[in-house]
Amino acid sequence: MRERSLEIFHDEKVLDTVVLGPLFTPGRLTWQLLEAFPCWPPVEQTILGDGDWLIIENFTTYHSISARAREAGFQGRTVWGSGDQVATRLSALADSPAPQRLWYFGDIDAGGFRVARSAVRRADLLRLPPLRPAYGLYRMAFDGGKARNDKTNRPSGEALQWIRDWLDGQLGSAVAELVGQQRRKVQEYVGKMQLSDSAIDDWFAL
């Protein structure tokens, strides 16, 4: 796919997004016509049932949450989002049976929410269930994490409003205020110790 994209468009990533748009609706473009095929990176995931999917931005946190999910009887799958590669991971999973619900957990900073926003858009293009924040995990990170400066990212007002709307309520307002101050809290604050006493329902509850 990317080799053909480079040949046609002089940009190896154009077909990554075109394939999800109207050009690939029935009766129009096909992989056969393009003489190409999709080739997505392998997905690191832990499949524990056919229920919800929880996408986790960073690998360390994915590992810790997956271990606790197995212990606590989670009946879905945890998926490593691989940072800003999350859209390709969702595309690679597009042929799997759709989850009942789709959740996301990432860093509390401007970059982390850019990644989350790209995941929301890709889930919509793939006609997956709406990607929602794992509210309880975000609250655990926000309440338990120590804020650090994030001077390399300056979020726009529109980006901050998206954070407020996506996380919603008091948590959304508090997180947007923190990010607007160019500060951050990383998801690794939700580690093995913090997860050990948590129940699965705690991860998603408002």
Side-chain angles (χ1 to χ4, degrees), residues 4 18 23 29 40 42 44 46 52 74 97 107 143-144 150 170 174 183 199:
R4 192 72 165 125
V18 170
L23 285 176
L29 272 180
W40 303 111
E44 174 71 36
T46 302
D52 299 355
F74 182 53
D107 288 328
D143 290 346
D150 183 23
Q170 184 179 10
R183 308 194 79 198

Side-chain angles (χ1 to χ4, degrees), residues 8 11-12 30-31 44 48 53 56 58 66-68 73 114 117 123 152-153 162 169 172 185:
I8 296 170
D11 185 330
E12 74 281 5
T30 65
W31 289 118
E44 174 71 36
L48 302 170
W53 294 1
I56 303 153
N58 297 338
S66 296
R68 179 58 187 158
R114 278 198 300 272
R117 198 170 183 178
T152 60
N153 286 296
W162 185 88
K185 295 185 180 185

Side-chain angles (χ1 to χ4, degrees), residues 60-61 64-65 140 187-196:
T60 296
T61 310
S64 295
I65 287 178
M140 288 171 67
Q187 67 178 134
E188 284 82 1
Y189 280 112
V190 181
K192 291 177 71 70
M193 293 292 291
Q194 291 76 15
L195 290 163
S196 61

Side-chain angles (χ1 to χ4, degrees), residues 1 32 36 41 45 50 54 60 69 75 99 111 133 151 162 178 183 191-192:
M1 177 176 69
Q32 289 76 18
Q45 59 183 318
D50 58 3
L54 171 58
T60 296
Q75 294 300 308
K151 298 305 182 184
W162 185 88
L178 179 83
R183 308 194 79 198
K192 291 177 71 70

Side-chain angles (χ1 to χ4, degrees), residues 26 77 184 198:
R77 69 174 74 184
R184 65 192 303 253
S198 68

Side-chain angles (χ1 to χ4, degrees), residues 15-37:
L15 283 178
D16 286 17
T17 52
V18 170
V19 68
L20 301 171
L23 285 176
F24 268 75
T25 51
R28 306 188 78 179
L29 272 180
T30 65
W31 289 118
Q32 289 76 18
L33 285 172
L34 285 171
E35 298 182 337
F37 59 90

